[in-house]
Amino acid sequence: MFPTSPLKNPALRKDKSKFTPQDEFMDLNHPITYRHILSPPLGARDPLRVIALCDSDAFYAACEQVRLGIDPSRPLVVRQWDALIAVNYPARAFGITRMSNWRDALKKCPELTVVHVATYKEGDPAPGYWDNPDTATHKVSLDYYRRESAKIIAIFKECLPDGEIEKASIDEAFIDFTRPARAELLARYPYLAEVPADAPEGLDTVLPPPPPISWESSRGILIPIDPDPPVAEQAGLTPGTGSHTEAVGGDDVDALWTWHDVALSIAAELMDKIRTEVRTQLGYTTSAGVARNKFLAKLTASYKKRDSQSVLRNAAIPNYLIPMPFQKIRFLGGKLGQALADKFEASTVGDLLSICLDEFQQNFGEESIWVYEILRGIDRTEVKEKPTLTKSMMASKNLPRPITKVSEGPHWLRVLAAELALRLNELRATDLSVWPKTIVLHARHRYDKSRSKQTAFPFARNVTVDMIVGLADRLWKDLVGGGSKPDGSLPYPVTTIALGFSGVEPGEAGQRSIEGFIRSGTSSKPPSSPGRHNDGDLLGRSHHVKRQREAEDGEGSPLDTLAVDRGSTVSFVCPRCHKCIEVELGDDVGREHEPELEDRRANALARLRQEHDDFHIAEDLSKFPDGGNVGGTGGLRAADRERKRRKERIKDRDRERRTGSAAGTREGIAKFFVERPS
């Protein structure tokens, strides 16, 4: 539907003096038929597709300005240690940039408000604001900005329930207006909802010309079209294909209006209303770009910034892209951009349009078709809403001074645990069933391979810093304590430490929380040890869970329930067979030896899970004809071979990364993208 073929006469590409860049933009005025407007959206190939990118203006600075109640016209910057991470627009008027040092910024503007980002320090359950936090004892927190970002996304969804919204970063989001714009278009022009009886090609008949568009200021800034008539003709915009001529903004430029332009104008209206709601409810200004795809929408959003929106019509795409330095396009900078510039002696998009697809692929591999299409404004990437619940959660710290002794680790573990506790509790505020499966500790020296240890994270009613620290301390001792020297120093200095959760997932659908069974008294067994009944205890140390079938529920049908036993039992529900697996610990350890009991329960639970996993593995192997014997061709032998091959591949990648030989072995454009160490 969107042709991407090279020029009809490839020989012209060798002589740039005979090449007209606009000839490459051949799909900008695709005829729109009744089938297009009456059928479900066609995704990235829909000729009525409309995408917007909404970007919050100087977001971190705006958050602090709103939090402190500061006049938006007052210069303000947000610093992180000595660097600036956000500069509002009034401060930029003094020549202050994010590359500036905050002390130098104060010299340029003595009235400047300088706010240091919130930080965690040991002993505090939440981040706070200090004038001069110490990087040796504090850790940066972006929690406040994440919460404000979530509020903006919530307004997007409230204002546009039928639109697809994809959060691109903490201050950016893509919005697919295709469906709501089409619905509004049919509501405004109901005669398009039925195919005329005399339509020559039925559903495939091209729509009649659209009415003139009165482009008001609320719809945004139109990126201009080159006034030279041949440009429009070479771009494929010719009269007679459902377009309309109208003067734009009083200029003498004739614009050929299309139904896609109508869809753009509707989307711009909707985008303006959403931006107004964000400004009214939260006090934040935003800038937006509206275009045919994600790539162009992002470029358009930066056309005129601060509290405005720009619209890129298809007719304006050629002359918007052609003079643009291609190395400013995302992923076309760095080594790849320099290689393209050196190989083809090019600096702008227009310079590269003379290069045919075959020549790109001969020099940069088959995947370079992506580069070829991006230069022509083609982006087939869909707008997809990302899940709000991430399956992992990580708090890390690049240490200003390496940890060299075992005793120095707990300080940072407590700081990291405070951040994890706060974030997990915020997540559980909307869904109490959310809980991580494991807690993981990572430690790394510079760019060496990260070392890690993990353990199961037992369920508790409330997440506390002490609870996380207790498990993290054991992981720390397992990770570095065992290899420490007699004087307590580490075998290697730790320059980066990270603590995180993995397997963060909600409970199974239909499952009731454990508190519900405790309150309702549906347990089949009373507490076996009343002296140990403590609602704040870990489930692993204060109860066991088992499946039972009630005789009938309110409607007379069986109902699965959970029963709670407050004895010295540890248990878990297997996600594979859905059985409750449990083991009795006995009562030989008293309450006064609670730490020992905790260690026993944690170790017992880990062994119980491992033994049950081994049972499932043995059960799987028994299904092979050879019984999973090592000498056979299947089962364990095949699994061992696959694990060995996987380990060898990982070792090869690590070796290539350390020796720098990876770039020499990769092919195509992949060699220009360096994999960052984990």
Side-chain angles (χ1 to χ4, degrees):
M1 184 167 294
F2 288 149
T4 58
S5 59
L7 287 177
K8 296 180 180 179
N9 185 3
L12 291 178
R13 300 182 184 277
K14 302 300 180 181
D15 185 358
K16 294 185 179 181
S17 63
K18 298 180 181 180
F19 174 74
T20 304
Q22 284 85 355
D23 290 337
E24 283 298 309
F25 298 89
M26 303 169 60
D27 67 326
L28 300 183
N29 194 32
H30 191 285
I32 299 175
T33 67
Y34 286 95
R35 186 182 302 277
H36 289 137
I37 201 169
L38 297 178
S39 301
L42 301 174
R45 297 178 179 270
D46 195 322
L48 284 171
R49 189 185 191 208
V50 182
I51 307 296
L53 175 80
C54 190
D55 179 11
S56 299
D57 297 326
F59 183 55
Y60 292 175
C63 288
E64 298 300 344
Q65 170 251 315
V66 171
R67 181 181 68 86
L68 297 172
I70 295 176
D71 188 333
S73 63
R74 184 174 175 178
L76 181 146
V77 297
V78 179
R79 75 178 180 100
Q80 178 177 320
W81 313 130
D82 287 335
L84 301 183
I85 61 173
V87 181
N88 72 357
Y89 284 86
R92 296 180 192 184
F94 290 87
I96 301 172
T97 67
R98 285 193 296 177
M99 303 299 293
S100 304
N101 180 285
W102 70 277
R103 294 183 180 87
D104 295 335
L106 275 173
K107 294 177 182 178
K108 294 181 179 180
C109 178
E111 298 81 17
L112 182 68
T113 300
V114 181
V115 182
H116 194 287
V117 67
T119 54
Y120 287 95
K121 73 172 184 178
E122 184 179 3
D124 288 352
Y129 287 88
W130 288 269
D131 291 334
N132 293 293
D134 188 351
T135 181
T137 56
H138 290 67
K139 181 196 176 298
V140 165
S141 167
L142 301 179
D143 299 324
Y144 172 58
Y145 308 132
R146 291 192 186 99
R147 288 192 293 269
E148 295 303 293
S149 175
K151 293 178 184 178
I152 295 176
I153 297 297
I155 292 177
F156 287 175
K157 293 180 178 179
E158 180 183 351
C159 295
L160 201 71
D162 295 333
E164 196 78 21
I165 300 169
E166 176 186 331
K167 186 175 180 179
S169 66
I170 197 169
D171 62 345
E172 290 182 327
F174 287 104
I175 305 175
D176 190 339
F177 282 101
T178 305
R179 193 179 296 273
R182 176 181 299 192
E184 181 62 24
L185 190 150
L186 287 172
R188 294 184 185 184
Y189 309 101
Y191 61 87
L192 298 177
E194 294 184 7
V195 181
D198 58 348
E201 298 182 35
L203 278 172
D204 295 319
T205 302
V206 175
L207 296 179
I213 302 175
S214 177
W215 203 271
E216 301 172 356
S217 59
S218 63
R219 289 174 174 159
I221 302 168
L222 273 178
I223 295 179
I225 303 172
D226 193 301
D228 189 7
V231 172
E233 294 175 3
Q234 291 166 355
L237 293 172
T238 56
T241 56
S243 52
H244 187 83
T245 302
E246 182 185 16
V248 180
D251 295 339
D252 294 329
V253 182
D254 282 340
L256 301 170
W257 296 113
T258 68
W259 282 110
H260 185 264
D261 294 332
V262 178
L264 283 173
S265 69
I266 293 173
E269 288 181 36
L270 298 174
M271 186 75 258
D272 184 69
K273 292 178 181 178
I274 294 173
R275 293 175 51 247
T276 300
E277 285 298 315
V278 172
R279 183 170 57 252
T280 302
Q281 295 186 33
L282 303 178
Y284 302 134
T285 63
T286 57
S287 298
V290 185
R292 66 189 295 194
N293 57 44
K294 293 173 70 174
F295 161 64
L296 293 175
K298 185 170 179 63
L299 285 181
T300 305
S302 60
Y303 180 71
K304 294 287 185 183
K305 290 206 73 170
R306 194 189 177 187
D307 197 16
S308 67
Q309 64 183 37
S310 303
V311 181
L312 181 65
R313 298 172 53 205
N314 290 349
I317 292 174
N319 290 292
Y320 184 56
L321 288 181
I322 287 171
M324 183 177 295
F326 70 83
Q327 292 191 38
K328 290 188 176 180
I329 297 175
R330 191 184 183 195
F331 299 130
L332 291 186
K335 294 182 179 180
L336 175 58
Q338 191 58 49
L340 289 169
D342 295 342
K343 177 64 181 178
F344 301 118
E345 299 180 357
S347 61
T348 67
V349 171
D351 295 336
L352 289 177
L353 290 178
S354 62
I355 311 302
C356 66
L357 178 59
D358 288 343
E359 194 170 351
F360 267 117
Q361 293 181 325
Q362 287 172 7
N363 289 279
F364 296 95
E366 293 293 324
E367 295 83 3
S368 60
I369 187 174
W370 166 79
V371 179
Y372 180 86
E373 292 189 334
I374 281 294
L375 295 170
R376 289 153 178 80
I378 298 171
D379 180 14
R380 308 182 194 279
T381 309
E382 297 279 2
V383 175
K384 291 293 184 183
E385 183 175 354
K386 297 178 181 178
T388 55
L389 178 63
T390 58
K391 291 192 175 183
S392 63
M393 191 179 292
M394 185 73 68
S396 63
K397 172 71 176 180
N398 293 322
L399 302 168
R401 292 194 297 269
I403 296 175
T404 57
K405 294 183 178 294
V406 176
S407 59
E408 296 172 354
H411 161 76
W412 288 114
L413 293 179
R414 182 164 289 276
V415 173
L416 299 176
E419 179 176 352
L420 285 180
L422 181 65
R423 292 172 61 185
L424 183 57
N425 279 321
E426 286 181 349
L427 194 61
R428 298 187 70 232
T430 56
D431 186 353
L432 272 175
S433 68
V434 173
W435 196 258
K437 292 182 179 179
T438 57
I439 181 172
V440 188
L441 176 66
H442 297 270
R444 188 177 71 214
H445 172 61
R446 297 188 184 276
Y447 294 105
D448 293 347
K449 185 178 180 180
S450 176
R451 298 169 172 86
S452 64
K453 287 287 184 180
Q454 67 180 37
T455 188
F457 192 69
F459 186 81
R461 175 178 294 182
N462 297 310
V463 185
T464 64
V465 175
D466 290 338
M467 171 188 175
I468 298 175
V469 169
L471 294 169
D473 278 338
R474 288 201 289 268
L475 293 176
W476 173 252
K477 293 174 183 177
D478 291 342
L479 186 63
V480 298
S484 63
K485 300 176 183 178
D487 62 352
S489 61
L490 299 179
Y492 60 93
V494 175
T495 58
T496 300
I497 185 170
L499 187 66
F501 294 133
S502 62
V504 182
E505 297 177 350
E508 295 182 5
Q511 230 177 29
R512 291 171 60 188
S513 65
I514 198 71
E515 290 85 354
F517 292 98
I518 296 174
R519 288 193 303 267
S520 61
T522 56
S523 174
S524 62
K525 296 175 67 176
S528 59
S529 182
R532 296 186 183 182
H533 188 110
N534 184 346
D535 288 345
D537 283 349
L538 302 179
L539 293 187
R541 81 185 193 194
S542 61
H543 78 279
H544 78 270
V545 180
K546 68 180 181 180
R547 289 284 184 182
Q548 72 173 17
R549 303 290 285 183
E550 285 187 346
E552 57 183 350
D553 62 3
E555 298 178 355
S557 61
L559 176 68
D560 285 337
T561 64
L562 297 174
V564 179
D565 178 18
R566 292 284 183 177
S568 56
T569 305
V570 293
S571 64
F572 73 97
V573 178
C574 174
R576 180 169 174 179
C577 62
H578 306 293
K579 294 180 179 179
C580 178
I581 313 301
E582 61 185 27
V583 64
E584 293 284 348
L585 290 179
D587 294 320
D588 55 329
V589 179
R591 184 70 173 178
E592 66 275 9
H593 300 291
E594 189 68 20
E596 297 179 33
L597 185 59
E598 282 304 308
D599 288 339
R600 285 187 54 191
R601 283 174 174 140
N603 293 334
L605 183 61
R607 287 196 303 269
L608 188 64
R609 288 181 182 273
Q610 184 62 53
E611 291 172 0
H612 190 69
D613 288 343
D614 292 342
F615 162 75
H616 281 302
I617 293 174
E619 189 178 46
D620 292 339
L621 292 176
S622 67
K623 299 176 183 178
F624 287 92
D626 58 3
N629 293 327
V630 175
T633 59
L636 186 60
R637 184 69 176 271
D640 284 342
R641 284 199 302 268
E642 177 59 29
R643 281 194 293 269
K644 185 176 180 180
R645 283 195 295 267
R646 189 181 302 114
K647 289 180 179 179
E648 289 298 328
R649 288 196 296 269
I650 294 174
K651 289 181 180 178
D652 289 342
R653 286 198 298 268
D654 291 339
R655 191 182 305 111
E656 289 174 353
R657 187 163 55 212
R658 288 193 302 270
T659 61
S661 61
T665 57
R666 297 192 195 124
E667 297 181 355
I669 63 174
K671 64 185 178 183
F672 297 102
F673 297 94
V674 179
E675 182 180 3
R676 295 183 182 273
S678 59

